[in-house]
mmCIF file of all heavy atoms in Angstrom:
data_model
loop_
_atom_site.group_PDB
_atom_site.id
_atom_site.type_symbol
_atom_site.label_atom_id
_atom_site.label_comp_id
_atom_site.label_asym_id
_atom_site.label_seq_id
_atom_site.Cartn_x
_atom_site.Cartn_y
_atom_site.Cartn_z
ATOM 1 N N LEU A 263 59.864 51.129 33.114
ATOM 2 C CA LEU A 263 60.388 50.257 34.159
ATOM 3 C C LEU A 263 60.579 48.835 33.629
ATOM 4 O O LEU A 263 59.701 48.271 33.005
ATOM 5 C CB LEU A 263 59.453 50.242 35.363
ATOM 6 C CG LEU A 263 59.366 51.545 36.158
ATOM 7 C CD1 LEU A 263 58.342 51.409 37.273
ATOM 8 C CD2 LEU A 263 60.728 51.921 36.743
ATOM 9 N N ASP A 264 61.769 48.287 33.906
ATOM 10 C CA ASP A 264 62.107 46.936 33.480
ATOM 11 C C ASP A 264 61.620 45.972 34.557
ATOM 12 O O ASP A 264 62.338 45.698 35.529
ATOM 13 C CB ASP A 264 63.610 46.820 33.257
ATOM 14 C CG ASP A 264 64.007 45.529 32.570
ATOM 15 O OD1 ASP A 264 63.303 44.517 32.794
ATOM 16 O OD2 ASP A 264 65.010 45.529 31.831
ATOM 17 N N GLU A 265 60.434 45.438 34.365
ATOM 18 C CA GLU A 265 59.819 44.576 35.388
ATOM 19 C C GLU A 265 60.666 43.334 35.657
ATOM 20 O O GLU A 265 60.841 42.941 36.817
ATOM 21 C CB GLU A 265 58.424 44.169 34.929
ATOM 22 C CG GLU A 265 57.695 43.304 35.939
ATOM 23 C CD GLU A 265 56.273 42.977 35.513
ATOM 24 O OE1 GLU A 265 55.820 43.556 34.481
ATOM 25 O OE2 GLU A 265 55.597 42.191 36.205
ATOM 26 N N GLY A 266 61.223 42.741 34.599
ATOM 27 C CA GLY A 266 62.014 41.539 34.781
ATOM 28 C C GLY A 266 63.281 41.795 35.588
ATOM 29 O O GLY A 266 63.625 41.020 36.489
ATOM 30 N N ALA A 267 63.973 42.906 35.277
ATOM 31 C CA ALA A 267 65.213 43.210 35.991
ATOM 32 C C ALA A 267 64.952 43.553 37.455
ATOM 33 O O ALA A 267 65.637 43.074 38.359
ATOM 34 C CB ALA A 267 65.938 44.382 35.314
ATOM 35 N N ILE A 268 63.926 44.385 37.699
ATOM 36 C CA ILE A 268 63.590 44.730 39.077
ATOM 37 C C ILE A 268 63.180 43.478 39.855
ATOM 38 O O ILE A 268 63.534 43.306 41.022
ATOM 39 C CB ILE A 268 62.479 45.807 39.115
ATOM 40 C CG1 ILE A 268 63.003 47.122 38.540
ATOM 41 C CG2 ILE A 268 61.953 46.023 40.545
ATOM 42 C CD1 ILE A 268 61.963 48.213 38.405
ATOM 43 N N GLY A 269 62.446 42.597 39.191
ATOM 44 C CA GLY A 269 62.057 41.357 39.817
ATOM 45 C C GLY A 269 63.247 40.511 40.233
ATOM 46 O O GLY A 269 63.266 39.889 41.298
ATOM 47 N N GLU A 270 64.279 40.472 39.372
ATOM 48 C CA GLU A 270 65.478 39.707 39.692
ATOM 49 C C GLU A 270 66.231 40.288 40.869
ATOM 50 O O GLU A 270 66.692 39.564 41.747
ATOM 51 C CB GLU A 270 66.397 39.661 38.463
ATOM 52 C CG GLU A 270 66.058 38.556 37.471
ATOM 53 C CD GLU A 270 66.190 37.192 38.120
ATOM 54 O OE1 GLU A 270 67.303 36.778 38.484
ATOM 55 O OE2 GLU A 270 65.140 36.543 38.309
ATOM 56 N N TRP A 271 66.369 41.620 40.915
ATOM 57 C CA TRP A 271 67.060 42.230 42.052
ATOM 58 C C TRP A 271 66.278 42.004 43.331
ATOM 59 O O TRP A 271 66.862 41.718 44.378
ATOM 60 C CB TRP A 271 67.264 43.734 41.803
ATOM 61 C CG TRP A 271 68.163 44.024 40.639
ATOM 62 C CD1 TRP A 271 69.314 43.355 40.303
ATOM 63 C CD2 TRP A 271 67.953 44.995 39.639
ATOM 64 N NE1 TRP A 271 69.842 43.892 39.156
ATOM 65 C CE2 TRP A 271 69.033 44.901 38.714
ATOM 66 C CE3 TRP A 271 66.997 45.972 39.398
ATOM 67 C CZ2 TRP A 271 69.157 45.719 37.580
ATOM 68 C CZ3 TRP A 271 67.112 46.789 38.284
ATOM 69 C CH2 TRP A 271 68.173 46.663 37.413
ATOM 70 N N CYS A 272 64.956 42.097 43.244
ATOM 71 C CA CYS A 272 64.147 41.889 44.443
ATOM 72 C C CYS A 272 64.247 40.433 44.917
ATOM 73 O O CYS A 272 64.255 40.172 46.117
ATOM 74 C CB CYS A 272 62.681 42.256 44.154
ATOM 75 S SG CYS A 272 62.396 44.043 43.985
ATOM 76 N N ARG A 273 64.310 39.495 43.974
ATOM 77 C CA ARG A 273 64.490 38.096 44.354
ATOM 78 C C ARG A 273 65.803 37.900 45.114
ATOM 79 O O ARG A 273 65.840 37.202 46.149
ATOM 80 C CB ARG A 273 64.486 37.214 43.102
ATOM 81 C CG ARG A 273 64.738 35.736 43.373
ATOM 82 C CD ARG A 273 64.786 34.940 42.103
ATOM 83 N NE ARG A 273 65.879 35.337 41.234
ATOM 84 C CZ ARG A 273 67.136 34.902 41.395
ATOM 85 N NH1 ARG A 273 67.449 34.077 42.373
ATOM 86 N NH2 ARG A 273 68.078 35.315 40.562
ATOM 87 N N GLN A 274 66.858 38.557 44.638
ATOM 88 C CA GLN A 274 68.155 38.420 45.297
ATOM 89 C C GLN A 274 68.169 39.145 46.657
ATOM 90 O O GLN A 274 68.729 38.638 47.626
ATOM 91 C CB GLN A 274 69.246 38.975 44.396
ATOM 92 C CG GLN A 274 69.443 38.150 43.114
ATOM 93 C CD GLN A 274 70.492 38.757 42.215
ATOM 94 O OE1 GLN A 274 71.676 38.837 42.575
ATOM 95 N NE2 GLN A 274 70.085 39.194 41.047
ATOM 96 N N LEU A 275 67.547 40.315 46.715
ATOM 97 C CA LEU A 275 67.470 41.041 47.979
ATOM 98 C C LEU A 275 66.726 40.202 49.025
ATOM 99 O O LEU A 275 67.149 40.122 50.188
ATOM 100 C CB LEU A 275 66.734 42.373 47.795
ATOM 101 C CG LEU A 275 67.444 43.461 46.981
ATOM 102 C CD1 LEU A 275 66.530 44.643 46.756
ATOM 103 C CD2 LEU A 275 68.727 43.918 47.672
ATOM 104 N N ALA A 276 65.629 39.571 48.614
ATOM 105 C CA ALA A 276 64.865 38.733 49.526
ATOM 106 C C ALA A 276 65.693 37.529 49.991
ATOM 107 O O ALA A 276 65.644 37.158 51.177
ATOM 108 C CB ALA A 276 63.577 38.253 48.848
ATOM 109 N N ALA A 277 66.457 36.945 49.080
ATOM 110 C CA ALA A 277 67.298 35.808 49.455
ATOM 111 C C ALA A 277 68.360 36.216 50.450
ATOM 112 O O ALA A 277 68.653 35.476 51.400
ATOM 113 C CB ALA A 277 67.941 35.204 48.187
ATOM 114 N N LEU A 278 68.923 37.403 50.274
ATOM 115 C CA LEU A 278 69.942 37.902 51.219
ATOM 116 C C LEU A 278 69.310 38.143 52.592
ATOM 117 O O LEU A 278 69.898 37.828 53.623
ATOM 118 C CB LEU A 278 70.561 39.175 50.686
ATOM 119 C CG LEU A 278 71.414 39.063 49.420
ATOM 120 C CD1 LEU A 278 71.962 40.413 49.002
ATOM 121 C CD2 LEU A 278 72.563 38.086 49.646
ATOM 122 N N ALA A 279 68.115 38.735 52.589
ATOM 123 C CA ALA A 279 67.435 39.016 53.853
ATOM 124 C C ALA A 279 67.114 37.716 54.585
ATOM 125 O O ALA A 279 67.258 37.627 55.819
ATOM 126 C CB ALA A 279 66.157 39.816 53.592
ATOM 127 N N LYS A 280 66.679 36.713 53.841
ATOM 128 C CA LYS A 280 66.358 35.435 54.478
ATOM 129 C C LYS A 280 67.590 34.703 54.954
ATOM 130 O O LYS A 280 67.491 33.792 55.784
ATOM 131 C CB LYS A 280 65.553 34.582 53.497
ATOM 132 C CG LYS A 280 64.161 35.135 53.230
ATOM 133 C CD LYS A 280 63.448 34.461 52.079
ATOM 134 C CE LYS A 280 62.114 35.153 51.788
ATOM 135 N NZ LYS A 280 61.441 34.589 50.612
ATOM 136 N N ASP A 281 68.751 35.124 54.451
ATOM 137 C CA ASP A 281 70.022 34.555 54.906
ATOM 138 C C ASP A 281 70.555 35.277 56.126
ATOM 139 O O ASP A 281 71.669 35.014 56.579
ATOM 140 C CB ASP A 281 71.040 34.632 53.747
ATOM 141 C CG ASP A 281 72.334 33.920 54.062
ATOM 142 O OD1 ASP A 281 72.290 32.802 54.640
ATOM 143 O OD2 ASP A 281 73.411 34.487 53.757
ATOM 144 N N GLY A 282 69.762 36.231 56.643
ATOM 145 C CA GLY A 282 70.163 36.942 57.846
ATOM 146 C C GLY A 282 70.873 38.254 57.607
ATOM 147 O O GLY A 282 71.352 38.892 58.537
ATOM 148 N N ARG A 283 70.936 38.697 56.360
ATOM 149 C CA ARG A 283 71.586 39.970 56.041
ATOM 150 C C ARG A 283 70.546 41.080 55.978
ATOM 151 O O ARG A 283 69.364 40.824 55.700
ATOM 152 C CB ARG A 283 72.361 39.885 54.722
ATOM 153 C CG ARG A 283 73.449 38.824 54.740
ATOM 154 C CD ARG A 283 74.111 38.690 53.373
ATOM 155 N NE ARG A 283 74.896 37.479 53.277
ATOM 156 C CZ ARG A 283 76.189 37.385 53.478
ATOM 157 N NH1 ARG A 283 76.865 38.459 53.824
ATOM 158 N NH2 ARG A 283 76.816 36.226 53.348
ATOM 159 N N GLU A 284 70.967 42.302 56.249
ATOM 160 C CA GLU A 284 70.086 43.452 56.168
ATOM 161 C C GLU A 284 70.378 44.202 54.884
ATOM 162 O O GLU A 284 71.535 44.538 54.613
ATOM 163 C CB GLU A 284 70.307 44.376 57.383
ATOM 164 C CG GLU A 284 69.975 43.675 58.700
ATOM 165 C CD GLU A 284 70.279 44.561 59.896
ATOM 166 O OE1 GLU A 284 71.213 45.382 59.824
ATOM 167 O OE2 GLU A 284 69.565 44.424 60.913
ATOM 168 N N VAL A 285 69.353 44.470 54.089
ATOM 169 C CA VAL A 285 69.570 45.052 52.763
ATOM 170 C C VAL A 285 68.706 46.296 52.582
ATOM 171 O O VAL A 285 67.537 46.342 53.013
ATOM 172 C CB VAL A 285 69.283 44.040 51.645
ATOM 173 C CG1 VAL A 285 70.345 42.974 51.603
ATOM 174 C CG2 VAL A 285 67.917 43.404 51.808
ATOM 175 N N ILE A 286 69.291 47.287 51.953
ATOM 176 C CA ILE A 286 68.611 48.537 51.604
ATOM 177 C C ILE A 286 68.838 48.804 50.121
ATOM 178 O O ILE A 286 69.963 48.681 49.630
ATOM 179 C CB ILE A 286 69.147 49.710 52.436
ATOM 180 C CG1 ILE A 286 68.795 49.524 53.917
ATOM 181 C CG2 ILE A 286 68.584 51.032 51.943
ATOM 182 C CD1 ILE A 286 69.416 50.582 54.823
ATOM 183 N N MET A 287 67.786 49.140 49.409
ATOM 184 C CA MET A 287 67.900 49.448 47.988
ATOM 185 C C MET A 287 67.795 50.957 47.771
ATOM 186 O O MET A 287 66.863 51.594 48.258
ATOM 187 C CB MET A 287 66.803 48.742 47.195
ATOM 188 C CG MET A 287 66.724 49.115 45.727
ATOM 189 S SD MET A 287 68.197 48.623 44.798
ATOM 190 C CE MET A 287 67.712 46.998 44.218
ATOM 191 N N VAL A 288 68.788 51.517 47.088
ATOM 192 C CA VAL A 288 68.726 52.901 46.638
ATOM 193 C C VAL A 288 68.501 52.865 45.144
ATOM 194 O O VAL A 288 69.377 52.410 44.395
ATOM 195 C CB VAL A 288 70.034 53.670 46.975
ATOM 196 C CG1 VAL A 288 69.982 55.087 46.389
ATOM 197 C CG2 VAL A 288 70.251 53.721 48.476
ATOM 198 N N SER A 289 67.346 53.282 44.688
ATOM 199 C CA SER A 289 66.970 53.093 43.300
ATOM 200 C C SER A 289 66.722 54.411 42.592
ATOM 201 O O SER A 289 65.935 55.251 43.032
ATOM 202 C CB SER A 289 65.686 52.240 43.213
ATOM 203 O OG SER A 289 65.294 52.055 41.871
ATOM 204 N N SER A 290 67.399 54.579 41.484
ATOM 205 C CA SER A 290 67.099 55.671 40.578
ATOM 206 C C SER A 290 65.868 55.258 39.766
ATOM 207 O O SER A 290 65.325 54.175 39.939
ATOM 208 C CB SER A 290 68.293 55.927 39.645
ATOM 209 O OG SER A 290 69.426 56.286 40.378
ATOM 210 N N GLY A 291 65.469 56.111 38.833
ATOM 211 C CA GLY A 291 64.441 55.724 37.902
ATOM 212 C C GLY A 291 63.145 56.515 37.942
ATOM 213 O O GLY A 291 62.344 56.414 37.020
ATOM 214 N N ALA A 292 62.917 57.308 39.006
ATOM 215 C CA ALA A 292 61.644 58.004 39.100
ATOM 216 C C ALA A 292 61.468 59.012 37.969
ATOM 217 O O ALA A 292 60.402 59.064 37.323
ATOM 218 C CB ALA A 292 61.514 58.705 40.457
ATOM 219 N N ILE A 293 62.498 59.832 37.728
ATOM 220 C CA ILE A 293 62.384 60.838 36.671
ATOM 221 C C ILE A 293 62.274 60.155 35.301
ATOM 222 O O ILE A 293 61.438 60.546 34.475
ATOM 223 C CB ILE A 293 63.569 61.805 36.719
ATOM 224 C CG1 ILE A 293 63.480 62.685 37.969
ATOM 225 C CG2 ILE A 293 63.625 62.685 35.473
ATOM 226 C CD1 ILE A 293 64.641 63.652 38.146
ATOM 227 N N ALA A 294 63.082 59.137 35.069
ATOM 228 C CA ALA A 294 63.028 58.448 33.772
ATOM 229 C C ALA A 294 61.678 57.804 33.538
ATOM 230 O O ALA A 294 61.117 57.861 32.422
ATOM 231 C CB ALA A 294 64.140 57.392 33.718
ATOM 232 N N GLU A 295 61.111 57.185 34.589
ATOM 233 C CA GLU A 295 59.783 56.570 34.457
ATOM 234 C C GLU A 295 58.715 57.650 34.245
ATOM 235 O O GLU A 295 57.783 57.475 33.437
ATOM 236 C CB GLU A 295 59.467 55.738 35.682
ATOM 237 C CG GLU A 295 58.032 55.229 35.786
ATOM 238 C CD GLU A 295 57.633 54.247 34.675
ATOM 239 O OE1 GLU A 295 58.509 53.826 33.918
ATOM 240 O OE2 GLU A 295 56.434 53.932 34.599
ATOM 241 N N GLY A 296 58.874 58.778 34.941
ATOM 242 C CA GLY A 296 57.923 59.864 34.759
ATOM 243 C C GLY A 296 57.976 60.438 33.355
ATOM 244 O O GLY A 296 56.929 60.750 32.747
ATOM 245 N N MET A 297 59.187 60.559 32.798
ATOM 246 C CA MET A 297 59.335 61.009 31.424
ATOM 247 C C MET A 297 58.601 60.107 30.467
ATOM 248 O O MET A 297 57.932 60.554 29.542
ATOM 249 C CB MET A 297 60.825 61.074 31.060
ATOM 250 C CG MET A 297 61.606 62.189 31.704
ATOM 251 S SD MET A 297 63.395 61.985 31.504
ATOM 252 C CE MET A 297 63.535 61.725 29.722
ATOM 253 N N LYS A 298 58.741 58.815 30.657
ATOM 254 C CA LYS A 298 58.075 57.843 29.788
ATOM 255 C C LYS A 298 56.554 57.970 29.890
ATOM 256 O O LYS A 298 55.824 57.972 28.894
ATOM 257 C CB LYS A 298 58.541 56.434 30.174
ATOM 258 C CG LYS A 298 57.981 55.325 29.287
ATOM 259 C CD LYS A 298 56.920 54.538 30.024
ATOM 260 C CE LYS A 298 56.430 53.365 29.181
ATOM 261 N NZ LYS A 298 55.355 52.615 29.870
ATOM 262 N N ARG A 299 56.049 58.112 31.132
ATOM 263 C CA ARG A 299 54.603 58.207 31.333
ATOM 264 C C ARG A 299 54.050 59.504 30.775
ATOM 265 O O ARG A 299 52.882 59.568 30.356
ATOM 266 C CB ARG A 299 54.282 58.095 32.818
ATOM 267 C CG ARG A 299 54.552 56.713 33.409
ATOM 268 C CD ARG A 299 54.061 56.592 34.840
ATOM 269 N NE ARG A 299 54.204 55.223 35.327
ATOM 270 C CZ ARG A 299 53.459 54.674 36.269
ATOM 271 N NH1 ARG A 299 52.498 55.385 36.861
ATOM 272 N NH2 ARG A 299 53.641 53.430 36.647
ATOM 273 N N LEU A 300 54.886 60.548 30.790
ATOM 274 C CA LEU A 300 54.446 61.855 30.274
ATOM 275 C C LEU A 300 54.684 61.995 28.778
ATOM 276 O O LEU A 300 54.317 62.994 28.175
ATOM 277 C CB LEU A 300 55.165 62.965 31.036
ATOM 278 C CG LEU A 300 54.768 63.129 32.503
ATOM 279 C CD1 LEU A 300 55.743 64.047 33.220
ATOM 280 C CD2 LEU A 300 53.345 63.655 32.627
ATOM 281 N N GLY A 301 55.372 61.022 28.173
ATOM 282 C CA GLY A 301 55.652 61.061 26.743
ATOM 283 C C GLY A 301 56.785 61.976 26.352
ATOM 284 O O GLY A 301 56.856 62.436 25.222
ATOM 285 N N TRP A 302 57.718 62.248 27.289
ATOM 286 C CA TRP A 302 58.853 63.116 27.016
ATOM 287 C C TRP A 302 60.024 62.280 26.537
ATOM 288 O O TRP A 302 60.452 61.324 27.202
ATOM 289 C CB TRP A 302 59.264 63.886 28.273
ATOM 290 C CG TRP A 302 58.214 64.829 28.771
ATOM 291 C CD1 TRP A 302 57.064 65.209 28.143
ATOM 292 C CD2 TRP A 302 58.206 65.509 30.030
ATOM 293 N NE1 TRP A 302 56.350 66.072 28.910
ATOM 294 C CE2 TRP A 302 57.031 66.280 30.079
ATOM 295 C CE3 TRP A 302 59.095 65.552 31.105
ATOM 296 C CZ2 TRP A 302 56.710 67.101 31.175
ATOM 297 C CZ3 TRP A 302 58.782 66.357 32.193
ATOM 298 C CH2 TRP A 302 57.600 67.117 32.232
ATOM 299 N N ALA A 303 60.603 62.654 25.413
ATOM 300 C CA ALA A 303 61.703 61.878 24.819
ATOM 301 C C ALA A 303 63.063 62.285 25.397
ATOM 302 O O ALA A 303 63.993 61.486 25.411
ATOM 303 C CB ALA A 303 61.713 62.047 23.305
ATOM 304 N N THR A 304 63.197 63.537 25.844
ATOM 305 C CA THR A 304 64.473 64.013 26.361
ATOM 306 C C THR A 304 64.288 64.540 27.791
ATOM 307 O O THR A 304 63.203 65.049 28.130
ATOM 308 C CB THR A 304 65.067 65.137 25.484
ATOM 309 O OG1 THR A 304 64.129 66.221 25.399
ATOM 310 C CG2 THR A 304 65.354 64.595 24.091
ATOM 311 N N ARG A 305 65.325 64.416 28.581
ATOM 312 C CA ARG A 305 65.272 64.870 29.961
ATOM 313 C C ARG A 305 65.168 66.398 30.006
ATOM 314 O O ARG A 305 65.986 67.103 29.392
ATOM 315 C CB ARG A 305 66.539 64.422 30.709
ATOM 316 C CG ARG A 305 66.571 64.791 32.191
ATOM 317 C CD ARG A 305 67.903 64.377 32.796
ATOM 318 N NE ARG A 305 68.011 64.782 34.189
ATOM 319 C CZ ARG A 305 67.845 63.984 35.239
ATOM 320 N NH1 ARG A 305 67.568 62.703 35.044
ATOM 321 N NH2 ARG A 305 67.970 64.436 36.470
ATOM 322 N N PRO A 306 64.194 66.936 30.713
ATOM 323 C CA PRO A 306 64.040 68.392 30.775
ATOM 324 C C PRO A 306 65.132 69.043 31.631
ATOM 325 O O PRO A 306 65.802 68.363 32.423
ATOM 326 C CB PRO A 306 62.666 68.581 31.408
ATOM 327 C CG PRO A 306 62.470 67.331 32.237
ATOM 328 C CD PRO A 306 63.143 66.239 31.467
ATOM 329 N N HIS A 307 65.292 70.344 31.481
ATOM 330 C CA HIS A 307 66.287 71.069 32.257
ATOM 331 C C HIS A 307 65.650 71.897 33.371
ATOM 332 O O HIS A 307 66.292 72.200 34.367
ATOM 333 C CB HIS A 307 67.107 71.993 31.337
ATOM 334 C CG HIS A 307 67.906 71.241 30.298
ATOM 335 N ND1 HIS A 307 69.014 70.492 30.610
ATOM 336 C CD2 HIS A 307 67.705 71.096 28.954
ATOM 337 C CE1 HIS A 307 69.495 69.940 29.506
ATOM 338 N NE2 HIS A 307 68.726 70.294 28.499
ATOM 339 N N GLU A 308 64.397 72.291 33.176
ATOM 340 C CA GLU A 308 63.717 73.100 34.168
ATOM 341 C C GLU A 308 63.436 72.268 35.408
ATOM 342 O O GLU A 308 62.911 71.149 35.312
ATOM 343 C CB GLU A 308 62.419 73.674 33.604
ATOM 344 C CG GLU A 308 62.597 74.646 32.462
ATOM 345 C CD GLU A 308 63.251 75.943 32.897
ATOM 346 O OE1 GLU A 308 63.108 76.294 34.107
ATOM 347 O OE2 GLU A 308 63.895 76.595 32.076
ATOM 348 N N ILE A 309 63.749 72.828 36.589
ATOM 349 C CA ILE A 309 63.611 72.068 37.830
ATOM 350 C C ILE A 309 62.172 71.675 38.082
ATOM 351 O O ILE A 309 61.889 70.558 38.557
ATOM 352 C CB ILE A 309 64.192 72.866 39.020
ATOM 353 C CG1 ILE A 309 64.280 71.985 40.270
ATOM 354 C CG2 ILE A 309 63.392 74.125 39.292
ATOM 355 C CD1 ILE A 309 65.271 70.891 40.184
#
């Protein structure tokens, strides 16, 4: 997980919300982060 990048998007989302806009984040990354934590170098094919 790129902490700096996620932090920047969250900063902008918060600024938009405080400006009166409603924001929803759809974020990929769960499988990729899980692969990293499990030490897998390539994306598996088995469901």
Side-chain angles (χ1 to χ4, degrees):
L263 292 176
D264 191 328
E265 182 176 354
I268 293 175
E270 275 299 294
W271 296 319
C272 289
R273 177 182 63 82
Q274 293 178 65
L275 291 173
L278 293 179
K280 291 169 185 176
D281 187 42
R283 301 175 195 265
E284 298 176 329
V285 289
I286 294 174
M287 173 65 91
V288 175
S289 179
S290 300
I293 290 178
E295 171 64 9
M297 288 168 51
K298 183 254 184 183
R299 292 187 174 207
L300 292 167
W302 296 349
T304 58
R305 183 184 176 101
H307 297 288
E308 295 292 334
I309 190 68

